[in-house]
């Protein structure tokens, strides 16, 4: 059973576009929602994270929108660049020791 | 200030052999987590360890897989009698303490079973 559902599986945007990746969860006990960026051959790297008491968080060109009532959250990448091409994973965690990851979104930003 | 170190980066084993994957956590981190990533899938939690203790192994297959984190040395994920379905990338993450959400992942070990 997939605890965190992520979509789309892949995404192609032009440089400067705003790709949006969506995730949904069921377990209301989750209390931390990070996004990870993974380049080929590398481990996932923490990009940005949000707690459920906040509806939006921005860090540079990356924004998380969080809808607690709908149990959904999304990642927006402003002014996307070819260097943003990577696989993005959303995750949800509770009790501080176990992540549930989404299945990933492969993003390609075309120059 | 090295990050989480995993070795080897690539490991090729024949069916039936044993695979040993090593993970050295970041300095000051005493909690280690192992994840498996299959092609086109997200990361799946396998096991959570502290020094000399297995805290949560709910994601570990019941047979052939084991993990340890001894008092001295790296954490080891051991897969006995490997099969083709074990081919995957195995990632290790570490954190300072249980409620610390600052997980840091290593670059992974890519296991190929031939």
């Amino acid at each position: 059973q997939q605890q965190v559902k992520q979509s789309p599986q892949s995404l192609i945007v032009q440089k400067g576009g705003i790709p949006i990746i969506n995730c949904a969860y069921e377990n209301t006990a989750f209390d931390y929602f990070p996004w990870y960026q993974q380049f080929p051959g590398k481990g996932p790297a923490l990009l940005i994270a949000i707690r459920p008491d906040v509806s939006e968080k921005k860090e540079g060109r990356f924004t998380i929108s969080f809808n607690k009532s709908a149990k959904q959250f999304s990642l927006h990448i402003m002014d996307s660049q070819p260097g943003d091409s990577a696989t993005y994973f959303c995750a949800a965690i509770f009790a501080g020791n176990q992540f549930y990851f989404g299945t990933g979104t492969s993003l390609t930003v075309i120059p | 200030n090295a990050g989480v170190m995993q070795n080897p980066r690539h490991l090729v084993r024949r069916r039936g052999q044993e695979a040993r994957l090593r993970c050295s956590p970041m300095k000051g981190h005493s909690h280690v987590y192992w994840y498996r990533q299959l092609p086109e899938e997200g990361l799946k939690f396998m096991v959570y360890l502290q020094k000399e203790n297995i805290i949560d192994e709910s994601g570990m297959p019941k047979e052939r897989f084991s993990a340890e984190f001894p008092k001295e040395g790296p954490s080891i994920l051991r897969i006995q009698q490997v099969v083709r379905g074990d081919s995957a990338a195995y990632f290790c993450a570490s954190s300072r303490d249980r409620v610390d959400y600052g997980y840091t992942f290593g670059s992974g070990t890519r296991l190929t079973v031939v």
Side-chain angles (χ1 to χ4, degrees):
Chain A
Q1 182 185 2
Q2 191 68 30
Q3 294 267 2
V4 179
K5 295 181 180 178
Q6 183 172 347
S7 63
Q9 187 174 3
S10 62
L11 190 54
I12 301 173
V13 300
Q14 295 279 354
K15 178 183 174 183
I18 305 176
I20 301 173
I21 305 170
N22 301 298
C23 285
Y25 64 97
E26 287 298 325
N27 190 343
T28 56
F30 289 133
D31 60 0
Y32 187 69
F33 300 89
W35 284 89
Y36 280 79
Q37 180 187 55
Q38 185 179 27
F39 293 104
K42 301 292 186 182
L46 179 64
L47 191 61
I48 186 173
I50 197 168
R51 297 192 186 278
D53 54 347
V54 176
S55 61
E56 185 176 276
K57 183 174 181 180
K58 291 182 180 180
E59 286 188 5
R61 297 185 293 107
F62 300 92
T63 300
I64 299 178
S65 297
F66 190 86
N67 186 329
K68 189 175 181 178
S69 60
K71 292 187 284 186
Q72 296 175 346
F73 58 109
S74 58
L75 176 70
H76 302 233
I77 306 175
M78 306 302 175
D79 187 27
S80 58
Q81 302 295 314
D84 296 330
S85 297
T87 300
Y88 293 82
F89 292 96
C90 63
I93 182 173
F94 70 95
N97 74 320
Q98 190 175 129
F99 280 85
Y100 293 92
F101 282 89
T103 50
T105 296
S106 176
L107 171 67
T108 302
V109 180
I110 300 171
Chain B
N1 185 20
V4 177
M5 303 301 292
Q6 287 188 251
N7 64 81
R9 289 297 305 275
H10 301 275
L11 182 62
V12 179
R13 285 287 178 266
R14 296 187 183 278
R15 280 181 295 170
Q17 290 185 319
E18 178 181 285
R20 292 171 70 87
L21 287 63
R22 288 178 289 279
C23 169
S24 297
M26 284 185 67
K27 187 176 181 181
H29 287 192
S30 60
H31 298 245
V32 166
Y33 315 80
W34 284 93
Y35 289 82
R36 177 164 63 176
Q37 184 176 34
L38 291 166
E40 308 302 323
E41 292 188 20
L43 293 101
K44 295 288 194 294
F45 169 79
M46 298 182 74
V47 62
Y48 161 40
L49 311 103
Q50 284 183 264
K51 286 284 187 180
E52 300 183 276
N53 287 303
I54 296 174
I55 307 301
D56 181 349
E57 57 181 347
S58 58
M60 287 278 271
K62 294 289 186 284
E63 297 177 348
R64 302 187 297 108
F65 284 73
S66 62
E68 63 177 8
F69 189 15
K71 186 176 181 180
E72 300 291 337
S75 175
I76 305 287
L77 178 68
R78 182 181 175 202
I79 311 173
Q80 294 178 294
Q81 299 176 318
V82 297
V83 301
R84 290 242 170 90
D86 297 332
S87 295
Y90 292 83
F91 290 96
C92 162
S94 72
S95 67
R96 190 176 304 278
D97 58 59
R98 182 175 178 171
V99 297
D100 178 4
Y101 294 102
Y103 285 60
T104 303
F105 280 87
S107 295
T109 292
R110 278 144 190 86
L111 172 65
T112 302
V113 179
V114 296

